[in-house]
Amino acid sequence: MSTTESPAAGVGPVEGAPLFDVDNPAPLIEAPRKRTKKTPRSTRGNFEMAAWLFMRLSGVVLVVLVLGHLLIQLVLDGGVSKIGFAFVAGRWASPFWQVWDLLMLWLAMLHGANGLRTIINDYAERANTRLWLKGLLYTATVFTILLGSLVIFTFDPNIR
Amino acid sequence: MPAGTLYRGREGMWSWVAHRVTGVLIFFFLFVHVLDTALVRVSPEDYDKVVATYKTPIVALLEYGLVAAILFHALNGLRVIAVDFWSKGPRYQKQMLWTVVGVWVVLMAGAVYPVLGHAARVLFGS
């Protein structure tokens, strides 16, 4: 066993600190996940954290939007029996309900898509399966959001 | 409990399972619902024809199930937010789940007549 200053295998010099010190007779070992100048920039970003936060923020808004929607469509004024083209035309005559429905469409679709993305990641074990399921999910989500937005923006009460 | 599983049972796990199941059901309904609503761009007759199926007794029962799923997902979602952001949330998660279940039962009882009333009038006359 040599007692020279050559470090043991696996012990690298800590940036800005000598290997040995008066107060640290034993060599300093870099904390495994410590960020240093040599650490490559993170390649992942904070997407998962943003997605987690989005689920909670959109969830709170959706509680109001969706429960209000259910109250209007299924409970008040005769419940489901009054729903028809005339009822839709009456509500979408107001920009307030157009914005309500548009916001509900976007938030609900993105909230649901992110939820299903999580479920696919959890249960689909093969990378290829995940790829195809998520491809299908994103295609269906984009299609549905675009279709719904188009319907709200181009609705014509005098279509016939 | 078999070794090596993360599933712990009880309120925490089963509310998580129910949240997933109701979430998936609601999401699949949402696709259908955007498609049926898109018929307002085709013609009033086609839209009213499809909406007529929503007024049949069997589909009304499915709507009641949809309301059940949405109400649970909404109330339990608020509980999840409380667990995540309220410092005492994790400690009270069980009590909060039973509160969710209690509020859900009351709201579901209140929804029986409004949601199923139309179907009852169709079946039994008004």
Side-chain angles (χ1 to χ4, degrees):
Chain A
M1 276 300 199
S2 84
T3 52
T4 60
E5 63 277 5
S6 76
V11 179
V14 176
E15 256 183 60
L19 202 53
F20 297 96
D21 197 69
V22 184
D23 300 319
N24 294 295
L28 283 169
I29 299 173
E30 189 86 73
R33 302 217 175 158
K34 192 175 174 214
R35 305 276 112 181
T36 65
K37 276 185 212 143
K38 277 186 240 156
T39 311
R41 287 225 158 267
S42 169
T43 51
R44 282 187 292 184
N46 277 335
F47 176 75
E48 289 299 337
M49 199 270 271
W52 175 88
L53 192 61
F54 170 76
M55 291 308 263
R56 275 127 191 96
L57 294 178
S58 62
V60 172
V61 180
L62 280 167
V63 168
V64 177
L65 293 177
V66 173
L67 294 190
H69 182 71
L70 284 182
L71 199 66
I72 292 164
Q73 306 292 323
L74 291 181
V75 176
L76 300 178
D77 198 18
V80 74
S81 55
K82 88 277 185 172
I83 299 179
F85 184 86
F87 183 74
V88 176
R91 292 190 61 229
W92 279 352
S94 149
F96 178 82
W97 295 115
Q98 286 183 320
V99 171
W100 181 297
D101 286 353
L102 191 71
L103 195 62
M104 188 164 60
L105 169 76
W106 279 71
L107 289 181
M109 283 305 297
L110 293 175
H111 186 102
N114 189 242
L116 221 64
R117 181 184 71 88
T118 309
I119 289 175
I120 291 170
N121 282 339
D122 274 0
Y123 300 122
E125 294 187 0
R126 291 179 52 232
N128 237 348
T129 316
R130 284 197 297 275
L131 180 77
W132 282 102
L133 285 177
K134 280 193 262 185
L136 183 68
L137 170 69
Y138 298 153
T139 309
T141 301
V142 169
F143 171 79
T144 309
I145 289 179
L146 290 181
L147 175 70
S149 303
L150 185 83
V151 168
I152 293 174
F153 279 121
T154 68
F155 177 71
D156 175 12
N158 304 312
I159 189 168
R160 190 145 298 165
Chain B
M1 188 63 52
T5 179
L6 286 168
Y7 295 100
R8 311 310 276 253
R10 302 202 58 86
E11 289 90 339
M13 182 192 110
W14 291 112
S15 62
W16 172 84
V17 169
H19 204 74
R20 290 206 149 180
V21 172
T22 52
V24 171
L25 290 175
I26 296 163
F27 191 52
F28 285 161
F29 168 74
L30 185 55
F31 280 117
V32 178
H33 186 46
V34 173
L35 290 178
D36 70 53
T37 305
L39 286 174
V40 296
R41 278 308 280 127
V42 177
S43 78
E45 293 78 19
D46 288 310
Y47 179 73
D48 287 346
K49 205 184 292 174
V50 168
V51 167
T53 60
Y54 278 103
K55 301 177 184 179
T56 60
I58 291 172
V59 181
L61 214 56
L62 294 176
E63 279 156 45
Y64 191 69
L66 178 73
V67 170
I70 289 175
L71 280 179
F72 176 80
H73 200 85
L75 295 169
N76 189 57
L78 295 176
R79 167 181 163 270
V80 169
I81 292 172
V83 169
D84 284 348
F85 289 102
W86 178 37
S87 58
K88 288 178 186 155
R91 199 189 309 163
Y92 291 115
Q93 62 95 3
K94 284 186 189 182
Q95 288 92 325
M96 285 196 290
L97 177 66
W98 291 112
T99 309
V100 163
V101 171
V103 174
W104 180 82
V105 168
V106 170
L107 290 176
M108 285 311 289
V112 170
Y113 180 73
V115 177
L116 297 173
H118 179 82
R121 284 190 291 277
V122 168
L123 282 176
F124 309 114
S126 48

